[in-house]
Amino acid sequence: MSELAARAEKLDAGDELAGVRGKFVLDTVSDHAADAAGVYLDGNSLGALPAAVPGRVEDVVRRQWGELRIRSWDESGWWTAPERIGDRIAPLVGAAAGQIVVGDSTSVNVFKALVGAVRLSGPGRDEIVVDATTFPTDGYIAESAARLTGCTLRPVTPAEVPGVLGGRTAAVLLNHVDYRTGRLHDLPSLTAAVHAAGAVAVWDLCHSAGALPVGLDEHGVDLAVGCTYKYLNGGPGAPAYLYVRREVQDRFDSPLPGWNSHAEPFGMRAAYEPAAGALRGRVGTPDILSMLALEAALDVWDGVSIEAVRAKSLALTDFFLECVAAYAPAGRVESVTPEAHAERGSQVALRCDDAGDVMKELIARGVVGDFRHPDVLRFGFTPLYVGFGDVERAARVLGETLRVRAGNG
Amino acid sequence: MSELAARAEKLDAGDELAGVRGKFVLDTVSDHAADAAGVYLDGNSLGALPAAVPGRVEDVVRRQWGELRIRSWDESGWWTAPERIGDRIAPLVGAAAGQIVVGDSTSVNVFKALVGAVRLSGPGRDEIVVDATTFPTDGYIAESAARLTGCTLRPVTPAEVPGVLGGRTAAVLLNHVDYRTGRLHDLPSLTAAVHAAGAVAVWDLCHSAGALPVGLDEHGVDLAVGCTYKYLNGGPGAPAYLYVRREVQDRFDSPLPGWNSHAEPFGMRAAYEPAAGALRGRVGTPDILSMLALEAALDVWDGVSIEAVRAKSLALTDFFLECVAAYAPAGRVESVTPEAHAERGSQVALRCDDAGDVMKELIARGVVGDFRHPDVLRFGFTPLYVGFGDVERAARVLGETLRVRAGNG
């Protein structure tokens, strides 16, 4: 056993989250070649299946829908699922209850949040600042929100944000963790800068929620959105969520005022009157199957602290970088993920000229990460089910793959 | 056996759709008192569970998500589900393939369609006409669309629509079937009137799709939306759909241009460029569990023509009205659903002073319809699984309930 493999064994033995892995459905060794037993490092794209989900979904389909049918809207708690599940997510992102509703896609929630943010901002403010390096959908939706609210869109790098804020700034949309590089942006200081300029701060938490502490309440974030199918393991296309800070809820004015956000949804009134609280972030009928699968998926967090997750996440990515340095041919890959812990999310992105082909080979050998155009190998580390042995094995397989491709295998 | 019960038996024996009932999970007699074995007349709110769904959902959860995980986006056809399932719905609403995408809620799709419609309309047009009697969410969303596009909202009754159309009319949003009264509006002539005024026609098909022929292509409808959890039996909160007529697809300009609607979604480009065709109606990551449950649910339509469904639907509602007239105390209930077939959807709404309490008693006796504020008993007839025996039994139980409440039982 190599020194790194021995270290991995020791780290796994001391891992306080090791027991959580059993709450997920993961590959067994026999699924793949023995030297690379299923290492899933793509949980930042689609989280693995929590073991409690299939049974719960079956109950929702067969009993709640099949037998109770329409009665389930009350009796099975369907109607209140968006806010109930929002309250389950709340502690993971540092929010008190009553500020998050689940539903719709991330893109749709970005739209609600940005138009809502512009309307929350003061008069004379007509500029939306957006992270130019963000996941594209945020930029596209921001452009639409700007167009529909008569604002100008100003795309800048996150580092440039403080310098462009001013009296015209209505809202600022930022990603907490960059989807490509894994860079963690400084939410507290950027939020403070946005507020100092009198603008409204909107954060996209897709790549941070469930991987590290966010502290929405503590840092005074106004609005936030996030998906639930990455580190929250809610399933493919599981509904996203919207956080509306308690202090701005009364003034939050959604551009998608569907009947589910009405103060009296079954009053069937011609005039719209928004519900109190976070509920005004709801829109139409919630997609119950996807939503209740997510609810079951959140059970894996029982007894897990996000601080413990963060500590393990940093240990995993540190160890991966160390193993890659040891196993990969010198200069063959280069990390574009920041070294500093304060600037690192829960992924490692390696620049590699032939990244597309390399990732195909890794996947064929059971090490699943993903390729991001044009030259990035992306590896996500979900501390709930990834162990240090996985990390060592993934780096080793990567090293072997790179050597073989270079003819040195 | 009463004359009506005998008639029901004969009608059921001659029902060419009788065999489709077996494709659904429905109550057995033992679930309820024998005189009222589970009659589900609320399929216009939540369709019953198609028997093929539970197994399909289990496969999606356990194998596609649990084992294949991220690979399922390609290998299990997740990525193309919105347009593939749209093409399954297309023949039911009279649309050729390539014009419908599934995803998001009805409310969100109304928003896409209405803002898109205003943008399709000519210059100088700044008024959105909306059915004032519509399901409230359409009115709320129309108000938001008007506000964001600088239009005025003009709510009128459907009968008034032709009279208010003019050079200022940008778009007209109408419901095909009124959710409360069950009135079927004249889609061909209203669409023609909208076009004659140079405006864009948007139809909400929630209460007609799957119950009667719609003829979107034939009648030149520009944009349409609908839900899939009523007569299409897709499950609670199953994703809605958007129809964008082929001729206007190139100019359709969505207010929700998420990355799924990009010409090259995985190019991760900073600049938005819409996909060709109906795909530009997509937004964010599709909710796969709900969506693939819907896909399985659509299997019940194999070999079923919408014309046969319509014929049976009218026979069912005719027979129900006849049975109610025979069984209910005179003057105790009054149908607000039009007599004329050309004006009737697939439901019967009965005005009844104590409708809320009456419906509670009906449900307790296994006859499930719903109550619509303030005084409407609403019964939906899904021809795929409701038979004439059900209809006779429901009317009989209603008659008995009304007599008991009047002290004549």
Side-chain angles (χ1 to χ4, degrees), chain B residues 131-208:
Chain B
D131 178 355
T133 65
T134 190
F135 187 74
T137 213
D138 294 48
Y140 307 157
I141 295 289
E143 191 173 10
S144 175
R147 176 180 171 192
L148 285 164
T149 55
C151 287
T152 304
L153 187 67
R154 185 160 184 175
V156 298
T157 65
E160 292 167 334
V161 165
V164 304
L165 300 172
R168 284 189 54 188
T169 314
V172 182
L173 170 64
L174 293 164
N175 259 263
H176 199 190
V177 172
D178 184 282
Y179 78 102
R180 215 175 55 88
T181 63
R183 176 180 289 274
L184 171 65
H185 295 296
D186 187 345
L187 182 144
S189 83
L190 284 166
T191 302
V194 170
H195 287 166
V200 178
V202 183
W203 284 91
D204 180 334
L205 310 178
C206 283
H207 286 272
S208 63

Side-chain angles (χ1 to χ4, degrees), chain A residues 212-223:
Chain A
L212 50 91
V214 178
L216 290 177
D217 285 356
E218 180 186 352
H219 303 302
V221 169
D222 302 291
L223 298 155

Side-chain angles (χ1 to χ4, degrees), chain B residues 9-319:
Chain B
E9 212 165 73
K10 220 184 264 179
L11 287 164
D12 277 330
D15 173 13
E16 64 169 300
L17 294 175
V20 185
R21 185 184 177 104
K23 295 183 180 178
F24 288 87
V25 175
L26 292 163
D27 296 354
T28 54
V29 175
S30 62
D31 291 342
H32 297 281
D35 72 334
V39 181
Y40 190 64
L41 301 180
D42 211 3
N44 55 337
S45 185
L46 175 65
L49 171 67
V53 168
R56 198 81 66 85
V57 170
E58 187 175 5
D59 181 63
V60 171
V61 173
R62 288 191 191 269
R63 188 180 59 85
Q64 296 184 10
W65 173 14
E67 293 175 24
L68 299 179
R69 286 189 285 262
I70 197 72
R71 290 162 48 192
S72 274
W73 281 107
D74 290 324
E75 293 179 26
S76 303
W78 288 356
W79 183 260
T80 52
E83 50 270 24
R84 180 178 72 241
I85 303 171
D87 282 348
R88 291 285 300 276
I89 293 171
L92 302 176
V93 292
Q99 300 175 104
I100 296 182
V101 286
V102 173
D104 305 307
S105 67
T106 305
S107 298
V108 169
N109 281 296
V110 168
F111 184 75
K112 293 179 214 170
L114 266 187
V115 173
V118 169
R119 290 173 175 173
L120 284 170
S121 73
R125 294 181 176 268
D126 63 356
E127 194 171 78
I128 297 175
V129 174
V130 62
D131 178 355
T133 65
T134 190
F135 187 74
T137 213
D138 294 48
Y140 307 157
I141 295 289
E143 191 173 10
S144 175
R147 176 180 171 192
L148 285 164
T149 55
C151 287
T152 304
L153 187 67
R154 185 160 184 175
V156 298
T157 65
E160 292 167 334
V161 165
V164 304
L165 300 172
R168 284 189 54 188
T169 314
V172 182
L173 170 64
L174 293 164
N175 259 263
H176 199 190
V177 172
D178 184 282
Y179 78 102
R180 215 175 55 88
T181 63
R183 176 180 289 274
L184 171 65
H185 295 296
D186 187 345
L187 182 144
S189 83
L190 284 166
T191 302
V194 170
H195 287 166
V200 178
V202 183
W203 284 91
D204 180 334
L205 310 178
C206 283
H207 286 272
S208 63
L212 50 91
V214 177
L216 290 177
D217 285 356
E218 181 186 352
H219 303 302
V221 169
D222 302 291
L223 297 156
V225 304
C227 80
T228 62
Y229 45 75
K230 300 181 189 292
Y231 298 105
L232 298 178
N233 313 297
Y241 56 90
L242 174 69
Y243 165 88
V244 182
R245 185 176 190 74
R246 195 175 303 283
E247 287 80 355
V248 303
Q249 286 176 354
D250 283 353
R251 294 187 297 126
F252 178 69
D253 182 4
S254 172
L256 294 171
W259 71 294
N260 272 231
S261 71
H262 196 281
E264 201 191 340
F266 291 95
M268 303 286 161
R269 307 202 179 286
Y272 180 71
E273 186 196 332
L279 273 68
R280 65 176 65 178
R282 289 180 62 163
V283 186
T285 305
D287 51 340
I288 292 300
L289 303 194
S290 293
M291 194 162 289
L292 299 191
L294 165 63
E295 185 170 35
L298 291 170
D299 285 355
V300 300
W301 292 93
D302 289 351
V304 172
S305 83
I306 194 72
E307 289 72 22
V309 166
R310 174 60 169 167
K312 182 175 171 188
S313 162
L314 288 170
L316 288 168
T317 50
D318 274 346
F319 189 56

Side-chain angles (χ1 to χ4, degrees), chain A residues 355-403:
Chain A
D357 290 334
V358 169
M359 185 51 72
K360 270 185 207 141
E361 293 185 30
L362 290 180
I363 291 171
R365 293 191 60 186
V367 174
V368 180
D370 61 23
F371 162 61
R372 280 297 174 258
H373 190 80
D375 60 1
V376 166
L377 298 167
R378 196 178 74 156
F379 301 96
F381 297 85
T382 301
L384 299 184
Y385 54 75
V386 173
F388 295 89
D390 296 323
V391 165
E392 189 273 339
R393 205 155 50 219
R396 182 155 37 85
V397 173
L398 172 63
E400 288 163 9
T401 301
L402 294 172
R403 273 174 213 287

Side-chain angles (χ1 to χ4, degrees), chain A residues 113-161:
Chain A
L114 266 187
V115 173
V118 169
R119 290 172 175 174
L120 284 169
S121 72
R125 294 181 176 268
D126 62 355
E127 196 171 78
I128 296 175
V129 174
V130 63
D131 178 355
T133 66
T134 190
F135 187 73
T137 212
D138 293 47
Y140 307 156
I141 295 288
E143 191 173 9
S144 175
R147 176 180 172 193
L148 285 164
T149 55
C151 286
T152 304
L153 187 68
R154 186 160 184 173
V156 298
T157 66
E160 292 168 333
V161 166

Side-chain angles (χ1 to χ4, degrees), chain A residues 6-75:
Chain A
R7 285 255 310 284
E9 211 165 75
K10 223 184 259 178
L11 287 164
D12 277 330
D15 174 12
E16 65 169 298
L17 294 176
V20 185
R21 186 185 177 105
K23 295 183 181 178
F24 288 86
V25 175
L26 292 163
D27 297 351
T28 54
V29 174
S30 63
D31 290 341
H32 297 282
D35 72 335
V39 181
Y40 190 64
L41 301 180
D42 211 4
N44 54 337
S45 186
L46 175 64
L49 172 66
V53 168
R56 198 81 64 86
V57 170
E58 187 176 4
D59 181 63
V60 171
V61 172
R62 289 190 192 270
R63 188 180 59 85
Q64 296 183 10
W65 173 13
E67 294 175 23
L68 299 180
R69 286 188 284 262
I70 197 72
R71 289 161 49 190
S72 275
W73 282 107
D74 289 325
E75 293 179 25

